[in-house]
PDB file of all heavy atoms in Angstrom:
ATOM      1  N   VAL Q 258      -5.188 -11.102 -42.888  1.00  0.00           N
ATOM      2  CA  VAL Q 258      -3.826 -11.633 -42.907  1.00  0.00           C
ATOM      3  C   VAL Q 258      -3.419 -12.310 -41.600  1.00  0.00           C
ATOM      4  O   VAL Q 258      -2.497 -13.136 -41.586  1.00  0.00           O
ATOM      5  CB  VAL Q 258      -2.801 -10.518 -43.250  1.00  0.00           C
ATOM      6  CG1 VAL Q 258      -2.995 -10.044 -44.673  1.00  0.00           C
ATOM      7  CG2 VAL Q 258      -2.894  -9.364 -42.265  1.00  0.00           C
ATOM      8  N   GLU Q 259      -4.076 -11.992 -40.499  1.00  0.00           N
ATOM      9  CA  GLU Q 259      -3.722 -12.615 -39.229  1.00  0.00           C
ATOM     10  C   GLU Q 259      -4.375 -13.979 -39.048  1.00  0.00           C
ATOM     11  O   GLU Q 259      -4.011 -14.716 -38.121  1.00  0.00           O
ATOM     12  CB  GLU Q 259      -4.098 -11.688 -38.071  1.00  0.00           C
ATOM     13  CG  GLU Q 259      -3.264 -10.420 -38.021  1.00  0.00           C
ATOM     14  CD  GLU Q 259      -3.579  -9.577 -36.807  1.00  0.00           C
ATOM     15  OE1 GLU Q 259      -4.705  -9.054 -36.736  1.00  0.00           O
ATOM     16  OE2 GLU Q 259      -2.698  -9.442 -35.939  1.00  0.00           O
ATOM     17  N   LYS Q 260      -5.334 -14.311 -39.884  1.00  0.00           N
ATOM     18  CA  LYS Q 260      -5.985 -15.624 -39.854  1.00  0.00           C
ATOM     19  C   LYS Q 260      -5.297 -16.522 -40.885  1.00  0.00           C
ATOM     20  O   LYS Q 260      -5.531 -16.401 -42.089  1.00  0.00           O
ATOM     21  CB  LYS Q 260      -7.472 -15.502 -40.194  1.00  0.00           C
ATOM     22  CG  LYS Q 260      -8.238 -14.514 -39.322  1.00  0.00           C
ATOM     23  CD  LYS Q 260      -8.465 -15.054 -37.928  1.00  0.00           C
ATOM     24  CE  LYS Q 260      -9.379 -14.136 -37.135  1.00  0.00           C
ATOM     25  NZ  LYS Q 260      -9.606 -14.630 -35.772  1.00  0.00           N
ATOM     26  N   GLU Q 261      -4.420 -17.390 -40.415  1.00  0.00           N
ATOM     27  CA  GLU Q 261      -3.563 -18.156 -41.330  1.00  0.00           C
ATOM     28  C   GLU Q 261      -4.354 -18.923 -42.387  1.00  0.00           C
ATOM     29  O   GLU Q 261      -3.996 -18.906 -43.573  1.00  0.00           O
ATOM     30  CB  GLU Q 261      -2.683 -19.125 -40.541  1.00  0.00           C
ATOM     31  CG  GLU Q 261      -1.722 -19.908 -41.433  1.00  0.00           C
ATOM     32  CD  GLU Q 261      -0.828 -20.838 -40.636  1.00  0.00           C
ATOM     33  OE1 GLU Q 261      -0.955 -20.877 -39.394  1.00  0.00           O
ATOM     34  OE2 GLU Q 261       0.006 -21.514 -41.258  1.00  0.00           O
ATOM     35  N   GLU Q 262      -5.413 -19.607 -41.967  1.00  0.00           N
ATOM     36  CA  GLU Q 262      -6.189 -20.410 -42.916  1.00  0.00           C
ATOM     37  C   GLU Q 262      -6.772 -19.539 -44.025  1.00  0.00           C
ATOM     38  O   GLU Q 262      -6.717 -19.891 -45.204  1.00  0.00           O
ATOM     39  CB  GLU Q 262      -7.329 -21.129 -42.185  1.00  0.00           C
ATOM     40  CG  GLU Q 262      -6.891 -22.053 -41.071  1.00  0.00           C
ATOM     41  CD  GLU Q 262      -6.488 -23.414 -41.577  1.00  0.00           C
ATOM     42  OE1 GLU Q 262      -6.700 -23.679 -42.770  1.00  0.00           O
ATOM     43  OE2 GLU Q 262      -5.960 -24.205 -40.772  1.00  0.00           O
ATOM     44  N   ILE Q 263      -7.332 -18.391 -43.639  1.00  0.00           N
ATOM     45  CA  ILE Q 263      -7.961 -17.506 -44.619  1.00  0.00           C
ATOM     46  C   ILE Q 263      -6.902 -16.820 -45.476  1.00  0.00           C
ATOM     47  O   ILE Q 263      -7.073 -16.665 -46.696  1.00  0.00           O
ATOM     48  CB  ILE Q 263      -8.844 -16.448 -43.915  1.00  0.00           C
ATOM     49  CG1 ILE Q 263      -9.812 -17.115 -42.938  1.00  0.00           C
ATOM     50  CG2 ILE Q 263      -9.599 -15.621 -44.943  1.00  0.00           C
ATOM     51  CD1 ILE Q 263     -10.776 -18.081 -43.571  1.00  0.00           C
ATOM     52  N   ARG Q 264      -5.807 -16.409 -44.842  1.00  0.00           N
ATOM     53  CA  ARG Q 264      -4.720 -15.755 -45.584  1.00  0.00           C
ATOM     54  C   ARG Q 264      -4.204 -16.652 -46.706  1.00  0.00           C
ATOM     55  O   ARG Q 264      -4.030 -16.207 -47.852  1.00  0.00           O
ATOM     56  CB  ARG Q 264      -3.574 -15.415 -44.632  1.00  0.00           C
ATOM     57  CG  ARG Q 264      -2.442 -14.643 -45.301  1.00  0.00           C
ATOM     58  CD  ARG Q 264      -1.295 -14.399 -44.353  1.00  0.00           C
ATOM     59  NE  ARG Q 264      -0.517 -15.590 -44.078  1.00  0.00           N
ATOM     60  CZ  ARG Q 264      -0.321 -16.113 -42.870  1.00  0.00           C
ATOM     61  NH1 ARG Q 264      -0.874 -15.550 -41.811  1.00  0.00           N
ATOM     62  NH2 ARG Q 264       0.410 -17.205 -42.712  1.00  0.00           N
ATOM     63  N   LYS Q 265      -3.991 -17.910 -46.398  1.00  0.00           N
ATOM     64  CA  LYS Q 265      -3.461 -18.830 -47.401  1.00  0.00           C
ATOM     65  C   LYS Q 265      -4.478 -19.069 -48.535  1.00  0.00           C
ATOM     66  O   LYS Q 265      -4.091 -19.254 -49.692  1.00  0.00           O
ATOM     67  CB  LYS Q 265      -3.064 -20.147 -46.750  1.00  0.00           C
ATOM     68  CG  LYS Q 265      -1.810 -20.023 -45.888  1.00  0.00           C
ATOM     69  CD  LYS Q 265      -1.367 -21.360 -45.329  1.00  0.00           C
ATOM     70  CE  LYS Q 265      -0.050 -21.211 -44.579  1.00  0.00           C
ATOM     71  NZ  LYS Q 265       0.432 -22.519 -44.036  1.00  0.00           N
ATOM     72  N   MET Q 266      -5.742 -19.054 -48.193  1.00  0.00           N
ATOM     73  CA  MET Q 266      -6.760 -19.210 -49.229  1.00  0.00           C
ATOM     74  C   MET Q 266      -6.776 -17.998 -50.158  1.00  0.00           C
ATOM     75  O   MET Q 266      -6.944 -18.136 -51.375  1.00  0.00           O
ATOM     76  CB  MET Q 266      -8.126 -19.455 -48.589  1.00  0.00           C
ATOM     77  CG  MET Q 266      -8.225 -20.779 -47.851  1.00  0.00           C
ATOM     78  SD  MET Q 266      -9.814 -21.078 -47.039  1.00  0.00           S
ATOM     79  CE  MET Q 266     -10.751 -21.729 -48.419  1.00  0.00           C
ATOM     80  N   PHE Q 267      -6.575 -16.812 -49.603  1.00  0.00           N
ATOM     81  CA  PHE Q 267      -6.474 -15.615 -50.440  1.00  0.00           C
ATOM     82  C   PHE Q 267      -5.238 -15.677 -51.336  1.00  0.00           C
ATOM     83  O   PHE Q 267      -5.287 -15.287 -52.510  1.00  0.00           O
ATOM     84  CB  PHE Q 267      -6.431 -14.353 -49.578  1.00  0.00           C
ATOM     85  CG  PHE Q 267      -7.772 -13.712 -49.351  1.00  0.00           C
ATOM     86  CD1 PHE Q 267      -8.344 -13.695 -48.096  1.00  0.00           C
ATOM     87  CD2 PHE Q 267      -8.464 -13.118 -50.407  1.00  0.00           C
ATOM     88  CE1 PHE Q 267      -9.580 -13.093 -47.875  1.00  0.00           C
ATOM     89  CE2 PHE Q 267      -9.705 -12.527 -50.202  1.00  0.00           C
ATOM     90  CZ  PHE Q 267     -10.254 -12.507 -48.943  1.00  0.00           C
ATOM     91  N   VAL Q 268      -4.125 -16.133 -50.797  1.00  0.00           N
ATOM     92  CA  VAL Q 268      -2.899 -16.276 -51.588  1.00  0.00           C
ATOM     93  C   VAL Q 268      -3.151 -17.195 -52.780  1.00  0.00           C
ATOM     94  O   VAL Q 268      -2.773 -16.891 -53.924  1.00  0.00           O
ATOM     95  CB  VAL Q 268      -1.750 -16.819 -50.717  1.00  0.00           C
ATOM     96  CG1 VAL Q 268      -0.586 -17.299 -51.579  1.00  0.00           C
ATOM     97  CG2 VAL Q 268      -1.263 -15.751 -49.747  1.00  0.00           C
ATOM     98  N   ASN Q 269      -3.791 -18.312 -52.529  1.00  0.00           N
ATOM     99  CA  ASN Q 269      -4.084 -19.257 -53.604  1.00  0.00           C
ATOM    100  C   ASN Q 269      -5.085 -18.686 -54.606  1.00  0.00           C
ATOM    101  O   ASN Q 269      -4.980 -18.930 -55.813  1.00  0.00           O
ATOM    102  CB  ASN Q 269      -4.616 -20.571 -53.021  1.00  0.00           C
ATOM    103  CG  ASN Q 269      -3.539 -21.358 -52.308  1.00  0.00           C
ATOM    104  OD1 ASN Q 269      -2.388 -21.359 -52.708  1.00  0.00           O
ATOM    105  ND2 ASN Q 269      -3.907 -22.020 -51.236  1.00  0.00           N
ATOM    106  N   LEU Q 270      -6.055 -17.930 -54.111  1.00  0.00           N
ATOM    107  CA  LEU Q 270      -7.050 -17.315 -54.988  1.00  0.00           C
ATOM    108  C   LEU Q 270      -6.398 -16.324 -55.955  1.00  0.00           C
ATOM    109  O   LEU Q 270      -6.630 -16.377 -57.173  1.00  0.00           O
ATOM    110  CB  LEU Q 270      -8.107 -16.600 -54.148  1.00  0.00           C
ATOM    111  CG  LEU Q 270      -9.105 -15.719 -54.900  1.00  0.00           C
ATOM    112  CD1 LEU Q 270      -9.942 -16.544 -55.864  1.00  0.00           C
ATOM    113  CD2 LEU Q 270      -9.999 -14.970 -53.919  1.00  0.00           C
ATOM    114  N   ILE Q 271      -5.580 -15.434 -55.426  1.00  0.00           N
ATOM    115  CA  ILE Q 271      -4.967 -14.403 -56.267  1.00  0.00           C
ATOM    116  C   ILE Q 271      -3.982 -15.021 -57.257  1.00  0.00           C
ATOM    117  O   ILE Q 271      -3.956 -14.657 -58.441  1.00  0.00           O
ATOM    118  CB  ILE Q 271      -4.279 -13.344 -55.385  1.00  0.00           C
ATOM    119  CG1 ILE Q 271      -5.333 -12.599 -54.561  1.00  0.00           C
ATOM    120  CG2 ILE Q 271      -3.488 -12.350 -56.241  1.00  0.00           C
ATOM    121  CD1 ILE Q 271      -4.763 -11.730 -53.450  1.00  0.00           C
ATOM    122  N   SER Q 272      -3.188 -15.965 -56.784  1.00  0.00           N
ATOM    123  CA  SER Q 272      -2.224 -16.601 -57.693  1.00  0.00           C
ATOM    124  C   SER Q 272      -2.934 -17.435 -58.757  1.00  0.00           C
ATOM    125  O   SER Q 272      -2.485 -17.495 -59.906  1.00  0.00           O
ATOM    126  CB  SER Q 272      -1.217 -17.454 -56.908  1.00  0.00           C
ATOM    127  OG  SER Q 272      -1.863 -18.476 -56.176  1.00  0.00           O
ATOM    128  N   ALA Q 273      -4.054 -18.063 -58.408  1.00  0.00           N
ATOM    129  CA  ALA Q 273      -4.805 -18.836 -59.398  1.00  0.00           C
ATOM    130  C   ALA Q 273      -5.345 -17.940 -60.512  1.00  0.00           C
ATOM    131  O   ALA Q 273      -5.434 -18.356 -61.674  1.00  0.00           O
ATOM    132  CB  ALA Q 273      -5.952 -19.588 -58.727  1.00  0.00           C
ATOM    133  N   ALA Q 274      -5.708 -16.710 -60.153  1.00  0.00           N
ATOM    134  CA  ALA Q 274      -6.227 -15.771 -61.156  1.00  0.00           C
ATOM    135  C   ALA Q 274      -5.149 -15.350 -62.147  1.00  0.00           C
ATOM    136  O   ALA Q 274      -5.461 -14.785 -63.210  1.00  0.00           O
ATOM    137  CB  ALA Q 274      -6.806 -14.536 -60.458  1.00  0.00           C
ATOM    138  N   MET Q 275      -3.889 -15.653 -61.824  1.00  0.00           N
ATOM    139  CA  MET Q 275      -2.775 -15.312 -62.711  1.00  0.00           C
ATOM    140  C   MET Q 275      -2.223 -16.532 -63.433  1.00  0.00           C
ATOM    141  O   MET Q 275      -1.206 -16.437 -64.122  1.00  0.00           O
ATOM    142  CB  MET Q 275      -1.673 -14.636 -61.894  1.00  0.00           C
ATOM    143  CG  MET Q 275      -2.130 -13.378 -61.186  1.00  0.00           C
ATOM    144  SD  MET Q 275      -0.842 -12.601 -60.168  1.00  0.00           S
ATOM    145  CE  MET Q 275       0.284 -12.041 -61.454  1.00  0.00           C
ATOM    146  N   ASP Q 276      -2.905 -17.665 -63.263  1.00  0.00           N
ATOM    147  CA  ASP Q 276      -2.483 -18.930 -63.878  1.00  0.00           C
ATOM    148  C   ASP Q 276      -3.552 -19.363 -64.873  1.00  0.00           C
ATOM    149  O   ASP Q 276      -4.687 -19.638 -64.483  1.00  0.00           O
ATOM    150  CB  ASP Q 276      -2.310 -19.983 -62.780  1.00  0.00           C
ATOM    151  CG  ASP Q 276      -1.730 -21.294 -63.292  1.00  0.00           C
ATOM    152  OD1 ASP Q 276      -1.829 -21.569 -64.503  1.00  0.00           O
ATOM    153  OD2 ASP Q 276      -1.195 -22.047 -62.459  1.00  0.00           O
ATOM    154  N   ASP Q 277      -3.209 -19.427 -66.147  1.00  0.00           N
ATOM    155  CA  ASP Q 277      -4.241 -19.731 -67.153  1.00  0.00           C
ATOM    156  C   ASP Q 277      -4.771 -21.154 -67.051  1.00  0.00           C
ATOM    157  O   ASP Q 277      -5.760 -21.501 -67.699  1.00  0.00           O
ATOM    158  CB  ASP Q 277      -3.744 -19.428 -68.568  1.00  0.00           C
ATOM    159  CG  ASP Q 277      -2.600 -20.329 -69.031  1.00  0.00           C
ATOM    160  OD1 ASP Q 277      -2.279 -21.316 -68.334  1.00  0.00           O
ATOM    161  OD2 ASP Q 277      -2.022 -20.046 -70.095  1.00  0.00           O
ATOM    162  N   GLN Q 278      -4.152 -21.997 -66.201  1.00  0.00           N
ATOM    163  CA  GLN Q 278      -4.670 -23.346 -65.984  1.00  0.00           C
ATOM    164  C   GLN Q 278      -5.801 -23.362 -64.966  1.00  0.00           C
ATOM    165  O   GLN Q 278      -6.562 -24.330 -64.901  1.00  0.00           O
ATOM    166  CB  GLN Q 278      -3.538 -24.267 -65.502  1.00  0.00           C
ATOM    167  CG  GLN Q 278      -2.372 -24.381 -66.455  1.00  0.00           C
ATOM    168  CD  GLN Q 278      -1.228 -25.147 -65.839  1.00  0.00           C
ATOM    169  OE1 GLN Q 278      -1.051 -26.347 -66.074  1.00  0.00           O
ATOM    170  NE2 GLN Q 278      -0.431 -24.469 -65.011  1.00  0.00           N
ATOM    171  N   LEU Q 279      -5.890 -22.311 -64.165  1.00  0.00           N
ATOM    172  CA  LEU Q 279      -6.884 -22.255 -63.094  1.00  0.00           C
ATOM    173  C   LEU Q 279      -7.817 -21.057 -63.196  1.00  0.00           C
ATOM    174  O   LEU Q 279      -8.872 -21.037 -62.555  1.00  0.00           O
ATOM    175  CB  LEU Q 279      -6.174 -22.197 -61.733  1.00  0.00           C
ATOM    176  CG  LEU Q 279      -5.354 -23.418 -61.329  1.00  0.00           C
ATOM    177  CD1 LEU Q 279      -4.497 -23.098 -60.120  1.00  0.00           C
ATOM    178  CD2 LEU Q 279      -6.257 -24.597 -61.035  1.00  0.00           C
ATOM    179  N   GLU Q 280      -7.444 -20.077 -63.979  1.00  0.00           N
ATOM    180  CA  GLU Q 280      -8.150 -18.801 -64.000  1.00  0.00           C
ATOM    181  C   GLU Q 280      -9.637 -18.940 -64.287  1.00  0.00           C
ATOM    182  O   GLU Q 280     -10.465 -18.207 -63.729  1.00  0.00           O
ATOM    183  CB  GLU Q 280      -7.486 -17.878 -65.034  1.00  0.00           C
ATOM    184  CG  GLU Q 280      -7.993 -16.457 -65.041  1.00  0.00           C
ATOM    185  CD  GLU Q 280      -9.124 -16.253 -66.037  1.00  0.00           C
ATOM    186  OE1 GLU Q 280      -9.245 -17.087 -66.956  1.00  0.00           O
ATOM    187  OE2 GLU Q 280      -9.876 -15.268 -65.880  1.00  0.00           O
ATOM    188  N   GLU Q 281     -10.017 -19.898 -65.128  1.00  0.00           N
ATOM    189  CA  GLU Q 281     -11.437 -20.054 -65.458  1.00  0.00           C
ATOM    190  C   GLU Q 281     -12.266 -20.503 -64.263  1.00  0.00           C
ATOM    191  O   GLU Q 281     -13.481 -20.297 -64.232  1.00  0.00           O
ATOM    192  CB  GLU Q 281     -11.608 -21.037 -66.623  1.00  0.00           C
ATOM    193  CG  GLU Q 281     -11.167 -20.478 -67.960  1.00  0.00           C
ATOM    194  CD  GLU Q 281     -11.556 -21.381 -69.115  1.00  0.00           C
ATOM    195  OE1 GLU Q 281     -12.132 -22.467 -68.849  1.00  0.00           O
ATOM    196  OE2 GLU Q 281     -11.273 -21.022 -70.272  1.00  0.00           O
ATOM    197  N   LEU Q 282     -11.642 -21.113 -63.286  1.00  0.00           N
ATOM    198  CA  LEU Q 282     -12.356 -21.561 -62.086  1.00  0.00           C
ATOM    199  C   LEU Q 282     -12.585 -20.424 -61.096  1.00  0.00           C
ATOM    200  O   LEU Q 282     -13.412 -20.539 -60.190  1.00  0.00           O
ATOM    201  CB  LEU Q 282     -11.575 -22.676 -61.384  1.00  0.00           C
ATOM    202  CG  LEU Q 282     -11.427 -24.005 -62.122  1.00  0.00           C
ATOM    203  CD1 LEU Q 282     -10.501 -24.922 -61.334  1.00  0.00           C
ATOM    204  CD2 LEU Q 282     -12.777 -24.662 -62.324  1.00  0.00           C
ATOM    205  N   VAL Q 283     -11.844 -19.344 -61.240  1.00  0.00           N
ATOM    206  CA  VAL Q 283     -11.912 -18.228 -60.290  1.00  0.00           C
ATOM    207  C   VAL Q 283     -13.134 -17.369 -60.595  1.00  0.00           C
ATOM    208  O   VAL Q 283     -13.304 -16.883 -61.710  1.00  0.00           O
ATOM    209  CB  VAL Q 283     -10.637 -17.365 -60.362  1.00  0.00           C
ATOM    210  CG1 VAL Q 283     -10.750 -16.190 -59.383  1.00  0.00           C
ATOM    211  CG2 VAL Q 283      -9.406 -18.201 -60.058  1.00  0.00           C
ATOM    212  N   HIS Q 284     -13.968 -17.192 -59.588  1.00  0.00           N
ATOM    213  CA  HIS Q 284     -15.172 -16.356 -59.744  1.00  0.00           C
ATOM    214  C   HIS Q 284     -15.000 -15.077 -58.930  1.00  0.00           C
ATOM    215  O   HIS Q 284     -14.419 -15.107 -57.832  1.00  0.00           O
ATOM    216  CB  HIS Q 284     -16.403 -17.120 -59.262  1.00  0.00           C
ATOM    217  CG  HIS Q 284     -17.692 -16.479 -59.651  1.00  0.00           C
ATOM    218  ND1 HIS Q 284     -18.284 -15.482 -58.895  1.00  0.00           N
ATOM    219  CD2 HIS Q 284     -18.506 -16.671 -60.724  1.00  0.00           C
ATOM    220  CE1 HIS Q 284     -19.399 -15.102 -59.482  1.00  0.00           C
ATOM    221  NE2 HIS Q 284     -19.557 -15.796 -60.590  1.00  0.00           N
ATOM    222  N   PRO Q 285     -15.497 -13.942 -59.442  1.00  0.00           N
ATOM    223  CA  PRO Q 285     -15.356 -12.672 -58.705  1.00  0.00           C
ATOM    224  C   PRO Q 285     -15.930 -12.708 -57.291  1.00  0.00           C
ATOM    225  O   PRO Q 285     -15.490 -11.946 -56.424  1.00  0.00           O
ATOM    226  CB  PRO Q 285     -16.111 -11.675 -59.588  1.00  0.00           C
ATOM    227  CG  PRO Q 285     -16.051 -12.244 -60.967  1.00  0.00           C
ATOM    228  CD  PRO Q 285     -16.102 -13.732 -60.776  1.00  0.00           C
ATOM    229  N   SER Q 286     -16.891 -13.577 -57.052  1.00  0.00           N
ATOM    230  CA  SER Q 286     -17.523 -13.635 -55.722  1.00  0.00           C
ATOM    231  C   SER Q 286     -16.646 -14.303 -54.669  1.00  0.00           C
ATOM    232  O   SER Q 286     -16.906 -14.177 -53.464  1.00  0.00           O
ATOM    233  CB  SER Q 286     -18.857 -14.384 -55.806  1.00  0.00           C
ATOM    234  OG  SER Q 286     -18.645 -15.761 -56.091  1.00  0.00           O
TER     235      SER Q 286
END
Side-chain angles (χ1 to χ4, degrees):
V258 293
E259 292 185 293
K260 305 287 187 181
E261 183 178 0
E262 301 277 352
I263 309 299
R264 184 183 73 239
K265 289 184 175 181
M266 294 178 84
F267 266 113
V268 166
N269 289 325
L270 171 63
I271 295 168
S272 60
M275 301 178 68
D276 186 338
D277 66 9
Q278 301 172 98
L279 295 168
E280 188 267 340
E281 288 189 358
L282 294 174
V283 179
H284 193 274
S286 68

